[in-house]
Amino acid sequence: MKLEDKLLLDQVLELEGKDLTKLTKQEKEVFDKFESKAHEFGVTIEVVTEAPINDIKQGTSPYTINNITTHFPNQIIIKRVLD
């Protein structure tokens, strides 16, 4: 593994458990960069929300859904890909 990739992995592991909606600009950049390359590291990134997505989606616009979901915690979870 390249040093650059190792540093990126270390940085993203620090984001685990944080709320995606409350990341700093730098943390969001790390998250986005890693998310595009996660498969290369053998892990997946999941974002778990407490928003009642199924209830919200009934009869509301994507704009409304986005506004509501950003007000709920969105925890970042990193999982190892199992073979």
Side-chain angles (χ1 to χ4, degrees), residues 16-83:
E16 186 168 22
K18 289 191 174 187
D19 187 335
L20 181 62
T21 62
K22 294 181 173 52
L23 295 180
T24 65
K25 183 179 177 181
Q26 287 179 313
E27 290 172 331
K28 181 67 172 137
E29 288 173 0
V30 168
F31 179 84
D32 292 340
K33 184 175 180 181
F34 187 83
E35 189 175 38
S36 68
K37 299 173 69 174
H39 65 280
E40 296 175 24
F41 292 93
V43 298
T44 59
I45 295 178
E46 292 183 16
V47 178
V48 180
T49 183
E50 293 180 13
I53 299 297
N54 291 333
D55 295 340
I56 294 170
K57 286 185 179 180
Q58 295 179 6
T60 57
S61 70
Y63 177 79
T64 303
I65 292 168
N66 186 46
N67 281 337
I68 293 171
T69 56
T70 57
H71 289 91
F72 283 86
N74 294 286
Q75 185 178 19
I76 298 169
I77 299 174
I78 300 170
K79 293 184 175 182
R80 182 174 169 248
V81 176
L82 300 175
D83 297 327

